Amino acid sequence: MIGLWDTTGNEVVKALAAERRSAGGVASGLALTLIAVVDEKRVREAEAAATIAAAAHPCRLLIVVRSDVESQRSRLDAEIVVGGRLGPAEAAVLRMYGRLALHAESVVMPLLAPDVPVVTWWHSEPPAQIANDFLGIVADRRITDSAQAPDPVAALRQRAEDYAPGDTDLTWTRITLWRTLVASAFDTTMEQVVGATIVAPEKDPTAALMGGWLGARLGITPVLEPTTEHPRMRSVELQCANGDCIKVTRDENTALFSRTGQADREMPLVRRPVGDELAEELRRLDPDQVYSSALGALAGTPHLENRPAQRVHVWKDPALARSAAS
Amino acid sequence: MRNPLRDPQDRRLPRIPEPCALVIFGVTGDLSRKKLIPAVYDLANRGLLPPGFVVLGFARRDWGDGDFESLAYEAAKKGARTPWREDVWARLAENIKFVAGSFDDDAAFDTLASSLDELRASHGITGNAAFYFSIPPVAFPIVLKQLARTGMADNETSGGWRRVVVEKPFGYDMATAKELNRLVDSVFTADDVFRIDHYLGKETVQNILALRFANSLFEPVWNSKYVDHVQITMAEDVGIGTRAGFYDGAGAARDVLQNHLLQLMAMFAMEEPTSFDPSEIRAEKLKVLKAISVPKDIAADTVRGQYLQGWVAGERAVGYLEEKNIPAESTTETYVAVKLAIQNRRWAGVPFYVRCGKRLPRRVTEIAIVFKKAPHLPFDPADVEMLGHNQLVIRVQPDEGMVLKFGSKVPGTTMEVRDIAMDFQYGEAFTESSPEAYERLVLDVLVGDRTLFPDAAEVEQSWAVIDPLEEAWAGTTPEPYRAGEWGPRAADELLVREGRTWRRA
């Protein structure tokens, strides 16, 4: 590991190259560059998740921590790790202070691995407008996590508002296993689904997306039944035209699969660590159309997939905004 | 029947089979314990099994469900490639059942049949079942007869699909293979027969198709105009282990050349299929298998070998003739090298040197394409002394990946050119733990995807290559080689004669 204090972007590029050389062949193949946008206190958490994801997709990991944007003195500190504790990834933790934090791209751009996709992941409250963050604009894929917002469902609606192809949200990733179970129930039946009921806490973003997905796929309007007893999405029930009913109910790490006329069955339904979710996201680097139609159905804004994929940077200076407000 | 919740765009959702049962004959055997049961656990752990899924184990031992469960538990825990989760196993174990009986026991098969019928109500499995034959081929006829007698193999009476999975060896020669195919096809419909060649489940083997047909870079040089020759190697460091009885009757050519290596060669050399439909891929593979020709002078252009005692990877290894249960005068080969050719426009005149053997220095399987030298070299001959043939090597196992070897200038003031290697390791670009071959293939059987399973015609065509070789070898004695060497000296001479050398794999 190399630590560089009060350094420059060029020094970081040189140090990374030197580390790669001295590490020998460890990190010669890179599938992508992953930019993780985090706050100082969550750097370790992001590293842990990225290590799991990097085991599946060797990448260059750039962890960007921005703070003190109002300070007049700009400063860059960097930590460089190749191999070792971060698994097959090569990583740079970049801490930017002062005005430099508003121009993080000037440090990040020369560090992007040549000609491989760039993925930006906000391990924090998602930005309201991705266009305001240049780190989102250089990325081919953008991963937000609406569950970290104070009002996750509102945050998801904002994602629909702000959507561009290539965006996804980890709340969507969290329901892949659910969706798999629900979809597999229809591999063996031709029954038309006439209604759906989702039991979940009111502010649960995964339930909202599940509803959006079922609505978009089946042309129904799922009913959201709020619960206060369960902290997470509890069950999904689908009613068929012939009166049959299919229900998936989650308990800790298992799902109870019940269907009219058949014995109940228990299936594993484990909660995955963020790293596994991130790894699933990195599998596909093209826009996720199914997500966009589910998100569109949730927010009532259809045809999200027709939006232009390229965003144009919109300059926004938080310091100016704050001084204007005061 | 279209599922409204599935969308080809939705690649997050995995392929999941319909509710079904997997019946394993010989469930207490080696293959089942080392590969099948762990593969089923891994599938469950990855969430790839349907809500209704039952494993029915059939074996001779007189065991209760409990004993079998602990055997399965041990096997799964030991062989699993995904992290061990006790609750996943607990869910799966509830649906693992054991049926005891010998293969000639009518009552046991009746129990099996009624167990399958009961699943209809208890697990919502509407008749779908796959029968996995993890048993020696001699037992095939009797088990097939039992399945036919009880109507278990019939798609219509069962109301779902009934599939059968057979392992190699697919016969002993053309005649026995035909007989076996006829037998299996008479009980199951031909489409429901899945012949497992686990090599085809390997990620790199499937990548041969991606490499060739998804890129524009390689296809133009994939022919006799640019390729000097091709070397296909399958080396194992182990001996015959506990397979003495089978191995001594078969030998290296029947054991792996007939299936794994010819399949590799077919994937490598076939023409582009019109689509990735299983029948199209099989059609192209069959075409190229038909075009394979054996050398005119088999005695000169093939080498058989048998290992003597020696040292492999720091351990003493006994010679083949000293292995347990091997007759002292056995002339079975443990190594074989063959010069094959493909009679079509693309490959005319390009020799395919194919070798496989046991007790070689290390375990490696690879295909090396050795290109012709540049027609003219405008360099001083002394400067290009270290420049060899360009090579593209597809490493099938271990360290799945590809190596491209080409000449490059040595840094310095002189124009010296030397070979360098550009190494792509699959694990580096996607370490995404690629599923174990069996895991992938078991899932394919349950989903009904035939792409990776050779059909009867391919198997028979492969025997058409092996039979003449075996005929010519009859009565000859294999050349000895020391365990831990790259085969007999004669194999090196086979290439040296033509101005070539084996690549040190």
Side-chain angles (χ1 to χ4, degrees):
Chain A
M1 195 192 89
I2 302 184
L4 298 168
W5 310 108
D6 203 355
T7 183
T8 65
N10 276 336
E11 288 304 317
V12 179
V13 172
K14 278 189 210 154
L16 180 62
E19 274 290 85
R20 292 195 85 191
R21 247 198 315 280
S22 64
V26 275
S28 56
L30 291 173
L32 54 104
T33 303
L34 174 65
I35 305 174
V37 181
V38 291
D39 289 335
E40 180 61 51
K41 56 180 183 294
R42 308 187 70 180
V43 169
R44 288 290 170 256
E45 212 177 292
E47 272 187 1
T51 307
I52 297 177
H57 312 273
C59 59
R60 181 172 293 174
L61 170 64
L62 305 174
I63 296 182
V64 178
V65 183
R66 295 179 282 198
S67 46
D68 300 339
V69 276
E70 273 142 89
S71 154
Q72 282 308 309
R73 162 129 166 72
S74 293
R75 171 182 165 132
L76 170 68
D77 293 343
E79 235 179 274
I80 289 150
V81 185
V82 175
R85 71 184 158 94
L86 292 180
E90 50 185 54
V93 182
L94 306 164
R95 294 187 170 82
M96 304 173 197
Y97 309 95
R99 299 297 288 173
L100 170 62
L102 296 176
H103 300 278
E105 72 279 5
S106 67
V107 178
V108 166
M109 296 278 273
L111 285 169
L112 301 178
D115 210 31
V116 291
V118 177
V119 180
T120 299
W121 167 45
W122 285 269
H123 188 47
S124 57
E125 190 178 326
Q129 298 285 338
I130 287 180
N132 288 339
D133 190 342
F134 203 87
L135 295 181
I137 290 170
V138 295
D140 303 278
R141 284 274 277 101
R142 293 154 297 273
I143 303 166
T144 50
D145 187 357
S146 292
Q148 300 194 22
D151 182 346
V153 178
L156 267 181
R157 288 179 191 280
Q158 179 56 34
R159 293 275 54 83
E161 193 62 39
D162 189 40
Y163 180 85
D167 292 6
T168 51
D169 197 275
L170 287 178
T171 50
W172 175 244
T173 327
R174 276 173 207 131
I175 58 170
T176 301
L177 298 176
W178 274 92
R179 295 196 303 122
T180 306
L181 277 181
V182 175
S184 67
F186 286 91
D187 285 338
T188 48
T189 175
M190 297 262 270
E191 275 315 316
Q192 204 196 333
V193 180
V194 291
T197 312
I198 301 167
V199 179
E202 207 168 350
K203 289 266 153 88
D204 190 313
T206 55
L209 262 183
M210 177 61 97
W213 176 60
L214 292 172
R217 297 301 310 173
L218 302 170
I220 54 171
T221 315
V223 180
L224 235 63
E225 209 172 274
T227 171
T228 48
E229 283 165 48
H230 303 281
R232 298 184 285 152
M233 179 155 61
R234 170 70 176 165
S235 67
V236 176
E237 183 183 298
L238 298 172
Q239 293 99 23
C240 299
N242 67 349
D244 276 8
C245 183
I246 292 162
K247 188 172 181 185
V248 182
T249 313
R250 162 160 63 189
D251 271 309
E252 201 53 46
N253 285 342
T254 53
L256 189 70
F257 188 91
S258 24
R259 178 179 216 149
T260 310
Q262 287 180 12
D264 289 356
R265 279 185 298 274
E266 282 204 328
M267 303 283 292
L269 181 66
V270 292
R271 187 178 197 175
R272 299 177 293 174
V274 186
D276 280 353
E277 293 169 358
L278 193 59
E280 179 186 317
E281 282 305 314
L282 300 184
R283 275 204 81 147
R284 307 219 45 86
L285 296 170
D286 54 343
D288 186 338
Q289 273 111 332
V290 182
Y291 164 72
S292 73
S293 58
L295 187 68
L298 169 140
T301 45
H303 307 303
L304 290 182
E305 69 279 6
N306 295 341
R307 300 248 181 106
Q310 273 302 322
R311 284 189 169 90
V312 180
H313 185 228
V314 179
W315 172 248
K316 189 179 157 204
D317 188 338
L320 280 180
R322 228 162 290 173
S323 65
S326 62
Chain B
M1 187 155 65
R2 263 205 73 227
N3 182 341
L5 291 176
R6 292 209 187 270
D7 181 333
Q9 298 275 12
D10 196 345
R11 277 167 290 195
R12 288 173 197 256
L13 294 193
R15 304 179 304 163
I16 288 196
E18 295 167 7
C20 59
L22 176 65
V23 182
I24 305 176
F25 292 109
V27 73
T28 52
D30 237 22
L31 173 78
S32 160
R33 275 182 295 136
K34 286 200 184 127
K35 297 289 187 187
L36 289 180
I37 294 174
V40 169
Y41 167 79
D42 286 335
L43 287 173
N45 202 8
R46 289 182 209 257
L48 297 178
L49 292 179
F53 180 75
V54 172
V55 176
L56 286 172
F58 190 100
R60 195 163 313 166
R61 286 185 219 192
D62 203 7
W63 275 356
D65 273 354
D67 298 335
F68 174 64
E69 208 186 301
S70 60
L71 169 124
Y73 177 86
E74 292 300 322
K77 196 163 182 183
K78 199 162 157 223
R81 309 225 320 172
T82 52
W84 185 256
R85 291 200 186 105
E86 210 58 56
D87 49 347
V88 170
W89 176 256
R91 295 288 86 72
L92 184 63
E94 289 166 11
N95 296 313
I96 297 187
K97 294 182 172 45
F98 182 73
V99 179
S102 61
F103 297 144
D104 50 11
D105 179 2
D106 283 2
F109 277 84
D110 289 340
T111 313
L112 185 63
S114 61
S115 305
L116 279 175
D117 282 335
E118 281 160 21
L119 298 178
R120 214 177 295 268
S122 62
H123 290 77
I125 298 173
T126 54
N128 299 333
F131 299 94
Y132 202 115
F133 281 22
S134 175
I135 49 175
V138 285
F140 281 17
I142 179 147
V143 174
L144 286 166
K145 217 168 286 164
Q146 291 281 18
L147 292 178
R149 181 183 65 79
T150 50
M152 273 194 278
D154 195 320
N155 286 331
E156 262 155 43
T157 44
S158 63
W161 46 256
R162 289 288 157 104
R163 296 177 183 143
V164 65
V165 187
V166 286
E167 282 274 344
K168 72 166 198 185
F170 310 123
Y172 177 80
D173 54 16
M174 175 73 105
T176 50
K178 276 195 165 150
E179 172 60 23
L180 181 69
N181 287 336
R182 194 196 53 75
L183 187 72
V184 179
D185 288 359
S186 68
V187 177
F188 289 88
T189 42
D191 265 355
D192 292 325
V193 182
F194 289 75
R195 292 172 185 79
I196 287 219
D197 186 329
H198 69 263
Y199 256 62
L200 299 186
K202 289 188 186 293
E203 206 69 37
T204 1
V205 175
Q206 295 162 47
N207 195 35
I208 296 175
L209 298 182
L211 175 80
R212 294 193 52 202
F213 304 125
N215 296 304
S216 61
L217 187 58
F218 304 108
E219 200 51 29
V221 296
W222 218 260
N223 55 50
S224 61
K225 183 153 191 262
Y226 294 97
V227 176
D228 181 69
H229 70 282
V230 178
Q231 299 182 6
I232 303 180
T233 302
M234 176 183 173
E236 292 171 281
D237 53 354
V238 294
I240 52 163
T242 53
R243 297 164 68 216
F246 163 75
Y247 200 91
D248 196 56
R254 289 192 177 101
D255 185 34
V256 295
L257 180 60
Q258 185 269 339
N259 38 66
H260 303 327
L261 289 173
L262 287 184
Q263 283 288 334
L264 274 185
M265 185 166 160
M267 301 271 266
F268 169 85
M270 71 187 210
E271 297 297 317
E272 183 174 80
T274 48
S275 74
F276 263 62
D277 190 71
S279 61
E280 298 297 334
I281 295 181
R282 286 168 162 191
E284 292 304 335
K285 275 189 349 199
L286 185 61
K287 259 168 66 189
V288 74
L289 285 170
K290 280 183 176 162
I292 294 179
S293 69
V294 297
K296 278 205 192 77
D297 183 357
I298 293 181
D301 285 338
T302 67
V303 174
R304 293 202 311 146
Q306 192 181 64
Y307 61 81
L308 302 172
Q309 60 166 332
W311 287 79
V312 180
E315 285 181 56
R316 187 183 285 283
V318 299
Y320 179 71
L321 298 179
E322 289 97 60
E323 297 268 12
K324 212 187 277 175
N325 298 333
I326 297 292
E329 68 288 359
S330 169
T331 58
T332 303
E333 81 278 2
T334 63
Y335 174 98
V336 65
V338 195
K339 178 186 171 187
L340 296 174
I342 296 179
Q343 307 296 347
N344 63 20
R345 177 172 282 235
R346 185 190 286 268
W347 296 116
V350 178
F352 283 73
Y353 299 102
V354 182
R355 60 173 168 168
C356 54
K358 296 210 170 271
R359 288 286 186 220
L360 300 184
R362 71 188 198 101
R363 169 174 165 263
V364 58
T365 302
E366 63 170 38
I367 306 176
I369 307 137
V370 181
F371 291 98
K372 290 185 173 156
K373 286 215 171 181
H376 171 69
L377 288 171
F379 302 93
D380 186 295
D383 291 342
V384 290
E385 255 174 18
M386 292 298 289
L387 176 68
H389 290 265
N390 294 162
Q391 287 181 11
L392 180 69
V393 182
I394 301 170
R395 258 196 326 258
V396 176
Q397 72 178 16
D399 307 327
E400 313 191 332
M402 270 172 31
V403 181
L404 186 62
K405 249 179 101 177
F406 54 95
S408 174
K409 183 184 171 300
V410 180
T413 49
T414 55
M415 188 63 209
E416 195 188 337
V417 181
R418 187 194 296 168
D419 279 343
I420 52 148
M422 197 159 83
D423 196 335
F424 156 73
Q425 294 220 18
Y426 228 71
E428 262 172 15
F430 327 83
T431 17
E432 171 112 27
S433 64
S434 40
E436 217 274 328
Y438 272 95
E439 191 187 332
R440 164 78 201 257
L441 294 174
V442 168
L443 182 65
D444 279 356
V445 170
L446 299 180
V447 171
D449 184 343
R450 289 171 189 83
T451 315
L452 299 177
F453 300 86
D455 65 5
E458 283 174 61
V459 170
E460 284 166 22
Q461 199 52 50
S462 305
W463 283 116
V465 177
I466 302 298
D467 278 358
L469 299 177
E470 291 286 355
E471 221 168 278
W473 290 335
T476 64
T477 315
E479 313 256 347
Y481 63 96
R482 212 154 38 84
E485 277 186 339
W486 280 109
R489 218 46 48 80
D492 296 336
E493 282 154 20
L494 172 71
L495 266 73
V496 168
R497 250 193 343 254
E498 294 168 6
R500 302 180 172 119
T501 51
W502 288 108
R503 199 184 117 80
R504 188 170 47 75

